[in-house]
Each structure stands twice: as structure tokens, then as C-alpha cells.
Amino acid sequence: MLYSPIYVSILAMLFVAYLIKGIKDKPSGSEKMISISKAIQEGAVAYLKTQYKAVSIVLVFLFILLLITLGFTAATGFLIGAVLSALSGFIGMIVSTRANVKVAQAATKGLKPALDLSFKGGLVTGLLVVSLGLLAVAGFYFITEDLSAMIALGFGASLISVFARVGGGIYTKAADVGADLVGKVEQGIPEDDPRNPAVIADQVGDNVGDCAGMAADIFETYTVTIIATMILGSLIFPGNPQFIVLPLFLGAVSIIASIIGSFFVHLGKNKSIMGALYKGIIVAAVLSAIGFYPLINQVKTDDTNNLYFSALVGLAITAGMFAVTEYYTSKKYNPVKSIAAASQTGHATNIITGLAVGLRSTAMPIIVISIGIVLSHWLAGVYGIAIATMAMLSMAGIAVAVDAYGPITDNAGGIAEMSGLPEEVRKVTDELDSVGNTTKAVTKAYAIASAGLAALVLFSAFSQELIDRGAKAEFLLENPRVIAGLFIGGLLPYLFASFAMNAVGKAASKVVEEVRRQFRENITEYGKCVDIVTKASIKEMIIPALIPVVAPILVGFILGPEALGGLLIGSIVTGLFVALSMTTGGAAWDNAKKYIEEGAYGGKGSTAHQAAVTGDTVGDPYKDTAGPAINPMIKVLNIVALLIIAFLV
């Protein structure tokens, strides 16, 4: 019974192997389709290899530093977290780049087989994230029983996540923006047209950003939340190991629930793709809620029922985030339609309306998160917040599946366009891709909300650790050091986002120049654009990725633990708002463009369409680079703060 989380992780990996075999056995279509898919696959693998080589230099340096300062166990944990975080994204991306052509071929048979295959491709990534995450934390804890060293494991996962999110985000959006500005606006050719030299780089970017990047992001949020909850359990309930291992068992239950829920993802009579995906999520959530009760009931405490209700609060926050984000990003609702309508009067009004939608989209998610925090704390204190967050993150398996489905369908549409498949096939892939934009936005909002709650749990662990070491943990507003920390922490998400946005702008400019040159000379060399965005993303990811590592060390050692506590809270508050407004607003811009392309306000080639393309290119680095990368950034800040406590007090 004690090792059940490990057994469940292994079971999930066996199921993943079964899914991979099923995808592999599906037909791949014509030779032309296969060659395009191979080009995307080779570009994605080449990028990740280059990225990991660059990141390995940082990892080796930090491994040696941790080995000297914190010992062998912590350094090993750091390495395990980093390697498994990278591995979950890498394997998921490999499957994604092989499933794309099979989904394009399945689309020739209709919407149902294409949806089934694309979701299974995404499910591989989702289940890998949670199974490897749970195996890493449970295995490391059962072997070492060293909670302090587990903080280093979380640090390794978080660091890889920042690099993956920033580097992958720069890659995908530089290619996308460059391809759209020249191809759609200047040349007037369709999206994914094979004449566009940036089209392969764009397809590669979907995978390294939305598949590998999202996988690393959720992997670290998942593992860090488990670790933080275990640490809180040990500090608040000393001598009671049940509170330490409870999050491991909650994660195991939800993995089984997610596997069962995945069998319910199929089209109903109304042929709603979103409805089909939601069926799987709802079943997984209901089964998780049922499975949580007997586990929590075994914990010997006066607040057993309250702990269970805290877990239900976490599941409710997940549902709330999904519903609110779909409203702001789906073509069915007013926010997206308002941006499309504003496009009729030009580029500026599209941008103004898009920014307004992004800013307004933060209101309801923050209210949902705030209600969740207050309720779970009222029910079971700080540990109640941790259990609510853990319950929310336990749904990551099927949530990531819904996200990773997106780049597969996007690639499938590109392959259909480039290989000259009939128009009805492209209609199927476009329908899947349009929903994919919404699912990616919904999952990013879920990731941001869970990241904010996870960071709050980490901050609680930071405060408890200070108290446990005999230091004051009073972060009073009359203390100028606390105020300074709040200001610096509030600044960091803006500074971080500015580096990421600027990197996309610079790289996209180089892509635009290269694409224009090739159109002038009437040549098509896909490799040139792939090379440009690969080099640019690797070069530009270093500084923003190091900001959350360096900032808490400087503030902690110069201004002390009070200022460091202020920094953590400041970054959580502004980070949530910046990330939500960017990811939701960017997705709304994207779907407003697609709404017009389906025939609204003059359709493709109209003035409204050109304005919508501009809005989409602004929204691209918002939703796929800067916004989602803030998630791991705020958690790295908290993890580093936990790591250096021993040197501050």
C-alpha cells in the first residue's frame, strides 16, 4: 500500500506505451505527407538537442554548486528533477511530431477518427507528465526520506521548465509571426502554404513550444506542488507521516481517474469537439472526487471532512478556470466577436479591443482563485490550501492531454495544406485546430492558476521554515524591507515578460527579412528560417531564465528574509495578472482572426482580416511566450528562496 503511487506511475507508463503503439500502427498517408512530417520532426529534435546542450552547461554548474553547499542527495535530486522534466517534454514531442501526419490522414475519413487520434497523441504527453512526476517525487522520498533534498528536485524541474517555456516560446512565435506577416499580409497566400519559406519552422515551433514547453511547465508545477504540500505536512503536523504522503496518494488516484476518463472522449450527436473533450475531464474529476474521500478519511485528524472539502474546492477551481477562459477565448462568445468586429475599422482598433479583452479577462479568474484560497483556508488552514492546490494539479494528466492535442491538429492542418489534400480534409483539421486554440488557452489558464496557488503553498512553506529555524516570519507593511521586496517582486514578471517579448520581436524581424529575400529571389529554403529561429531562441532564453534564480539570491543576502518574503508575494500577485491577461488576450486575438477567416466581416483577404492578422501576431508572443513562461518563473523564485533559507538565518 505504501508504494502504491510508484505502482500507479508504472501502470500509467505501460498505458502510454500502449497508446504509442496504437498511434504508430495508424496509416501515414502519401510519401509527400510523410516527408513533410519528417522535416517537422527533424527540426523539432534538432532544436531540443541544441537547447539541452546549452542548458546542460547551466545544469552542470548548478549541480556542482549544490553538491558543495547542500550535499550529494540534494544535488542528485536536482539532476533527477531536471532530467525527467526534459524527458517528459521530449518523448511527448516525439510522439506529437509523428502523430501529426497520421491525424492528417485520419481526417480524410472524417472528424471522429481525426479527433480520436489527435487526443490520444496529446494523452501520451499528459500521462507522461504526471506519471514521471509522481515517480520522481515518490521514488526519491521513499529512498532518501529527505524532504529538504526534495526542494532541489523541484528546483531542477523548475529550471528546465523556464528554459523550455522561454526558448520554445521564442522559437514558435518568431517563426509564426514572420510567416504570417510576409505570407498572409504581404503576399496574400494562405496559412501553411508550401511557398512560404517559414512554414516548416512554424510547424516545428508548435511542438517545441506548446508540447515540450507545456509538458515541462506542468511537470514542474505538479512536482513542486507535491513537494511543497509534503513539506508543509511535515512542518504543521510533525511526527505524523500520513500528512507527508497524502499528496502522493491523491496524485495516484487522479492518474487512474484520468486514464478512465480518456475513454469517454468521443463525439456525441451534436458533434461538439469541446464537448467531447470536456466529457473526459468531467469523468476524471468525478472519479477523483470519489477516490479522494477514502484516502483523506484515513488521515487521523479532527478536520478530515474539511480536508476532503478542501480537495473538492481545488477541483471546483479547475472547473471555474476552464469555464471562464473558454468564454473569453471561444469564437462562440462576445469577447472574441468584439475583437473581430473592431477589426473592420483597422489595425489600431483591433489592438485596442484585444488589449481591453485581455485586461478584463483577469477579473473572474482572480475572483475564482481568491474564493478558493479563502474557502480552503477556512476549512483546513494553510494545509487546506495545499490540498486544494494538489487536487487541482492532480488533474494535470488529462488537462495536458487536451493542450497537447492542439499542436498535433495544427500540424495536421499544415500537412494537409502543404501536401495538397482536398478542401474537405482541411475543413476537418481547421475545425480541430480552432478548438485547439481554445483548449491551449484554457490549459494555460489552468496552469497559471495552479502555478499561483503552488507559489502560495511554497511561500507558506518558506514562512513555516523560517519559524521552524527560530527566525521571525512577520512580513509587516510598516517594514521598509518588506515594501522594497514587494516592489521588486512585483517588477520581476514585467521585466521577465519584456525580455521574452523583445526576443520574439528581434527573431521575427530576422525571419521576415529572410522570407522576403526568398520571395524576391523566387526560392524556397525552409532550413534557413529553421536555423534563424533556433539560434535566436537559444541565445535569447538565457537572461530571462536566469532572472528568477539570481533575483531572490541578491535580495535575500542584501536585504534579508523579510525583503525576500515580500519579493515572493509581489511576484505572485503581479505574475498572476500579467500571465492571465497575456495568455487569454492572445488566444482571443487568434480566434478573432479565425472567426473572420470563416467568412465574417468579408472573410480572408478583407481589410478586417488584415487587421486581425496584425492582432494575432501581437497576441502570439503574449499567449505562447511571455505569458505562460511567467508560471515557472514565480515558482523558481519560491524554490530558490527555500533553498537559501539555511544561509539567511
Side-chain angles (χ1 to χ4, degrees):
M1 179 66 180
L2 182 62
Y3 300 112
S4 295
I6 293 177
Y7 301 147
V8 170
S9 299
I10 294 170
L11 173 68
M13 287 184 217
L14 292 174
F15 184 67
V16 165
Y18 165 76
L19 289 173
I20 292 173
K21 186 181 183 304
I23 294 167
K24 188 178 177 182
D25 291 342
K26 296 294 182 182
S28 300
S30 66
E31 285 297 322
K32 188 172 184 181
M33 293 167 66
I34 293 170
S35 67
I36 294 167
S37 178
K38 281 185 176 177
I40 296 168
Q41 188 182 134
E42 288 168 5
V45 171
Y47 167 74
L48 280 191
K49 283 182 178 178
T50 306
Q51 184 189 54
Y52 290 158
K53 282 180 184 176
V55 173
S56 64
I57 298 170
V58 179
L59 291 181
V60 169
F61 170 77
L62 289 173
F63 174 80
I64 295 170
L65 185 63
L66 290 172
L67 188 64
I68 295 169
T69 56
L70 298 177
F72 177 77
T73 306
T76 303
F78 168 76
L79 211 55
I80 291 171
V83 170
L84 291 184
S85 178
L87 188 64
S88 64
F90 186 79
I91 296 174
M93 191 207 67
I94 291 294
V95 174
S96 175
T97 55
R98 287 186 173 154
N100 54 18
V101 67
K102 296 175 185 292
V103 171
Q105 178 61 24
T108 63
K109 307 292 184 183
L111 184 61
K112 187 176 180 179
L115 170 63
D116 179 67
L117 195 55
S118 56
F119 174 72
K120 284 178 178 174
L123 187 61
V124 167
T125 303
L127 290 179
L128 269 175
V129 165
V130 290
S131 60
L132 284 174
L134 187 61
L135 181 63
V137 178
F140 190 78
Y141 174 71
F142 290 138
I143 291 170
T144 67
E145 295 188 359
D146 189 339
L147 287 171
S148 297
M150 287 175 65
I151 298 171
L153 190 152
F155 179 46
S158 297
L159 195 66
I160 286 293
S161 176
V162 173
F163 280 116
R165 266 304 192 191
V166 175
I170 294 169
Y171 187 113
T172 181
K173 292 304 110 179
D176 197 358
V177 170
D180 281 356
L181 285 178
V182 182
K184 285 186 175 182
V185 177
E186 296 181 8
Q187 299 295 325
I189 60 177
E191 187 171 1
D192 301 322
D193 193 296
R195 291 170 292 177
N196 193 327
V199 70
I200 293 295
D202 186 11
Q203 298 294 322
V204 171
D206 290 329
N207 293 286
V208 300
D210 280 325
C211 189
M214 171 58 86
D217 182 359
I218 298 292
F219 177 92
E220 68 92 16
T221 305
Y222 184 77
T223 54
V224 162
T225 300
I226 296 176
I227 291 167
T229 306
M230 292 173 75
I231 291 171
L232 268 182
S234 71
L235 294 172
I236 298 173
F237 306 100
N240 194 337
Q242 287 181 310
F243 290 95
I244 298 175
V245 298
L246 178 60
L248 298 174
F249 285 88
L250 296 181
V253 165
S254 285
I255 288 177
I256 296 171
S258 293
I259 292 173
I260 297 171
S262 69
F263 289 100
F264 288 82
V265 176
H266 51 77
L267 286 175
K269 292 181 181 179
N270 61 357
K271 294 192 178 297
S272 167
I273 299 171
M274 205 72 188
L277 297 171
Y278 276 157
K279 272 190 289 188
I281 294 171
I282 291 168
V283 169
V286 170
L287 291 177
S288 294
I290 294 169
F292 287 165
Y293 186 75
L295 286 174
I296 295 175
N297 199 43
Q298 290 181 26
V299 178
K300 293 179 176 62
T301 174
D302 295 334
D303 292 331
T304 297
N305 287 334
N306 286 352
L307 271 183
Y308 177 67
F309 288 131
S310 294
L312 295 187
V313 167
L315 295 177
I317 294 173
T318 302
M321 293 302 297
F322 271 60
V324 171
T325 310
E326 185 185 356
Y327 171 74
Y328 278 102
T329 58
S330 173
K331 293 178 295 183
K332 296 186 294 184
Y333 303 112
N334 185 61
V336 167
K337 289 181 179 179
S338 69
I339 298 173
S343 304
Q344 296 176 93
T345 49
H347 302 257
T349 45
N350 171 283
I351 299 296
I352 292 167
T353 307
L355 287 171
V357 167
L359 293 170
R360 192 165 62 249
S361 70
T362 61
M364 282 308 298
I366 294 298
I367 291 171
V368 168
I369 293 168
S370 299
I371 291 172
I373 290 170
V374 172
L375 265 180
S376 55
H377 187 272
W378 175 69
L379 285 165
V382 173
Y383 193 72
I385 296 175
I387 290 297
T389 309
M390 185 60 228
M392 186 178 183
L393 260 301
S394 72
M395 298 295 297
I398 198 159
V400 173
V402 169
D403 178 89
Y405 140 97
I408 295 174
T409 58
D410 196 334
N411 272 198
I415 291 169
E417 180 75 35
M418 287 183 276
S419 57
L421 293 180
E423 184 64 27
E424 57 266 24
V425 176
R426 185 67 208 232
K427 283 182 180 177
V428 170
T429 58
D430 279 352
E431 195 173 345
L432 290 168
D433 182 34
S434 179
V435 172
N437 278 333
T438 300
T439 62
K440 285 187 285 187
V442 164
T443 312
K444 286 186 179 79
Y446 162 82
I448 292 163
S450 60
L453 288 171
L456 186 60
V457 174
L458 284 167
F459 175 76
S460 299
F462 172 78
S463 302
Q464 286 292 142
E465 187 74 25
L466 284 175
I467 294 170
D468 197 52
R469 291 177 178 273
K472 288 184 178 180
E474 295 181 341
F475 303 103
L476 304 175
L477 292 181
E478 59 260 33
N479 186 334
R481 290 175 184 265
V482 174
I483 295 293
L486 283 169
F487 284 156
I488 295 169
L491 158 72
L492 291 178
Y494 289 95
L495 185 65
F496 180 87
S498 74
F499 275 106
M501 292 286 290
N502 192 52
V504 172
K506 289 195 292 186
S509 296
K510 292 178 182 177
V511 174
V512 166
E513 290 170 4
E514 177 59 28
V515 173
R516 284 174 177 167
R517 180 190 71 80
Q518 292 194 36
F519 271 114
R520 283 196 307 269
E521 298 176 10
N522 198 27
I523 58 174
T524 306
E525 296 176 345
Y526 299 126
K528 294 282 188 183
C529 292
V530 171
D531 188 53
I532 286 171
V533 289
T534 298
K535 288 178 179 176
S537 58
I538 298 300
K539 178 185 175 184
E540 299 291 342
M541 73 179 182
I542 301 296
I543 292 177
L546 290 179
I547 286 174
V549 177
V550 175
I553 294 173
L554 291 177
V555 169
F557 282 101
I558 295 172
L559 296 178
E562 300 99 330
L564 183 54
L567 178 144
L568 300 181
I569 288 295
S571 67
I572 293 169
V573 172
T574 62
L576 273 176
F577 283 97
V578 174
L580 284 169
S581 65
M582 283 185 161
T583 53
T584 309
W589 260 315
D590 195 345
N591 273 344
K593 177 199 69 175
K594 281 185 164 49
Y595 182 68
I596 291 172
E597 287 175 345
E598 291 175 358
Y601 307 118
K604 292 181 180 179
S606 64
T607 302
H609 182 233
Q610 290 186 347
V613 170
T614 299
D616 180 35
T617 54
V618 173
D620 274 340
Y622 253 49
K623 69 182 174 71
D624 289 326
T625 308
I630 289 171
N631 302 348
M633 187 214 78
I634 60 177
K635 292 193 295 299
V636 171
L637 289 168
N638 283 269
I639 285 283
V640 172
L642 272 172
L643 281 172
I644 64 173
I645 278 182
F647 303 99
L648 299 179
V649 295

